[in-house]
């Protein structure tokens, strides 16, 4: 499975920072960190979402599939940014790591077929290199299941919103696993992060008390019954 690295530019005490920024606008004492933390918590509890945009999160996501990163890229609220491993400059001709789909793990014949297809791609990439084809052209063969790496930067509000979609039991399994890895590393980054992960990151159904998905997992009652 992949690995999440939290970069040091990630805000260490997000709740305190939120309170400090809000304190400027409220004429509060922003020198007192305890008061900042309490004020930050008040902002969060009152759902003043804009204040969460001051909290920076920078991470390296390494070894997840190009497919899940494609889904990651749809979370554009708050203009996040990222860099992704190049398909032109990195040499994939000598092979690449790839993700084994969950559902194939116990199915030997399916796994064999999947692995064979990946190996075929790897062999073709090698042959195309020998035939003088530029990597930017042969890279068209790279599959969505290949492992990739990104450096990602976004704010807390975006990540909270992402949790609502991607902790949903109906979300793609690899995304749920990736989001779980993010929760694990952020939980250990600081005590304030541990509170955020445990209290703000949750599927949307837990927030509204009903399921909005067409096909429900049954965790909560459906919003509309047909
Ligand atoms: C079960 C499931 C199935 C899914 N299937 C698919 C699928 O088949 N295909 C697919 O592409 N995606 C799919 N998704 C992903 C999902 O639909 C969203 O594309 C994804 O969650 C990112 O969009 P977002 O609005 O949630 O987040 P963001 O883009 O980060 O937006 C967050 C919030 O910011 C605000 N916002 C963002 N942009 C604007 C704007 N331009 N104007 C005004 N307000 C804005 C909105 O309030 C929005 O809710 C699926 C998700 C789930 C959970």
């Amino acid at each position: 499975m992949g690995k999440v690295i939290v970069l040091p530019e990630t805000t260490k005490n997000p709740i305190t920072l939120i309170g400090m920024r809000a304190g400027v606008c409220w004429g509060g004492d922003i020198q007192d960190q305890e008061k900042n933390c309490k004020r930050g918590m008040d902002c969060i509890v009152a759902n003043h979402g804009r204040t969460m945009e001051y909290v920076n999160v920078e991470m390296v996501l390494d070894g997840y599939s190009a497919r899940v990163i494609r889904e990651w890229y749809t979370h554009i609220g708050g203009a996040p940014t990222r860099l992704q491993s190049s398909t032109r400059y990195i040499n994939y001709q000598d092979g690449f790591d790839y993700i084994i789909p969950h559902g194939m793990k116990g199915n030997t014949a399916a796994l064999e077929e999947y692995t064979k297809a990946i190996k075929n791609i790897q062999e073709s990439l090698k042959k195309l290199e020998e035939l003088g084809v530029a990597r930017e052209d042969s890279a068209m063969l790279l599959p969505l299941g290949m492992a990739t790496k990104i450096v990602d930067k976004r704010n807390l509000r975006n990540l909270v919103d992402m949790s609502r979609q991607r902790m949903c039991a109906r979300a793609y399994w690899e995304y749920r696993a990736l989001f779980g890895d993010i929760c694990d590393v952020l939980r250990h980054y600081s005590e304030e992060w541990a509170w955020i992960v445990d209290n703000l990151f949750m599927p949307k159904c837990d927030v509204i008390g009903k399921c909005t998905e067409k096909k429900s997992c049954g965790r909560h009652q459906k919003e509309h019954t047909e």
Side-chain angles (χ1 to χ4, degrees):
M1 212 38 216
K3 196 164 93 179
V4 177
I5 299 163
V6 180
L7 297 171
E9 288 73 17
T10 299
T11 308
K12 196 85 190 176
N13 293 308
I15 304 173
T16 303
L17 178 76
I18 288 171
M20 197 184 287
R21 295 294 179 265
V24 171
C25 304
W26 296 352
D29 174 9
I30 59 165
Q31 304 308 322
D32 185 323
Q33 300 305 338
E34 245 176 72
K35 282 185 183 163
N36 286 333
C37 186
K38 187 180 171 305
R39 200 183 300 117
M41 195 64 97
D42 288 346
C43 290
I44 291 171
V45 171
N47 210 7
H48 292 298
R50 194 64 83 190
T51 60
M52 287 199 275
E53 294 175 19
Y54 291 99
V55 176
N56 187 46
V57 185
E58 290 189 42
M59 301 178 288
V60 175
L61 309 184
D62 185 9
Y64 299 93
S65 73
R67 177 179 171 195
V68 81
I69 296 304
R70 181 171 166 264
E71 295 199 5
W72 179 269
Y73 282 180
T74 65
H75 292 269
I76 55 170
T81 190
R82 64 267 146 160
L83 294 169
Q84 183 170 13
S85 299
S86 168
T87 51
R88 300 172 87 182
Y89 301 118
I90 292 182
N91 179 10
Y92 294 108
Q93 278 61 33
D94 298 334
F96 50 79
D97 290 335
Y98 55 94
I99 311 305
I100 306 278
H102 238 23
M104 285 187 206
K105 280 190 177 148
N107 187 337
T108 317
L111 191 56
E112 228 170 75
E113 192 59 35
Y114 180 77
T115 314
K116 191 172 82 185
I118 295 275
K119 298 275 178 255
N120 281 343
I121 292 173
Q122 290 175 336
E123 273 168 33
S124 294
L125 286 171
K126 213 171 191 152
K127 272 187 199 150
L128 289 169
E129 177 96 344
E130 286 161 15
L131 291 169
V133 172
R135 282 179 191 167
E136 70 172 4
D137 293 335
S138 61
M140 288 292 199
L141 285 178
L142 290 169
L144 279 176
M146 70 177 277
T148 189
K149 189 197 286 205
I150 64 166
V151 187
D152 188 85
K153 175 179 157 69
R154 61 191 61 235
N155 67 45
L156 173 60
R157 190 180 195 181
N158 178 293
L159 218 48
V160 168
D161 200 79
M162 188 190 288
S163 76
R164 308 285 154 91
Q165 294 290 354
R166 305 302 183 170
M167 287 172 90
C168 169
R170 294 284 307 156
Y172 170 43
W173 68 266
E174 193 191 358
Y175 210 132
R176 282 187 281 128
L178 162 62
F179 206 86
D181 293 344
I182 290 172
C183 289
D184 286 344
V185 290
L186 285 177
R187 210 181 263 116
H188 291 102
Y189 191 59
S190 72
E191 273 181 35
E192 290 194 11
W193 270 108
W195 186 90
I196 283 174
V197 169
D198 292 336
N199 291 278
L200 301 185
F201 291 176
M202 63 186 79
K204 57 196 171 192
C205 62
D206 280 359
V207 181
I208 58 177
K210 283 190 178 157
C211 173
T212 54
E213 289 295 322
K214 196 172 167 81
K215 291 179 184 164
S216 178
C217 73
R219 183 185 174 98
H220 283 279
Q221 257 194 344
K222 269 174 68 67
E223 193 170 43
H224 305 290
T225 41
E226 288 147 69

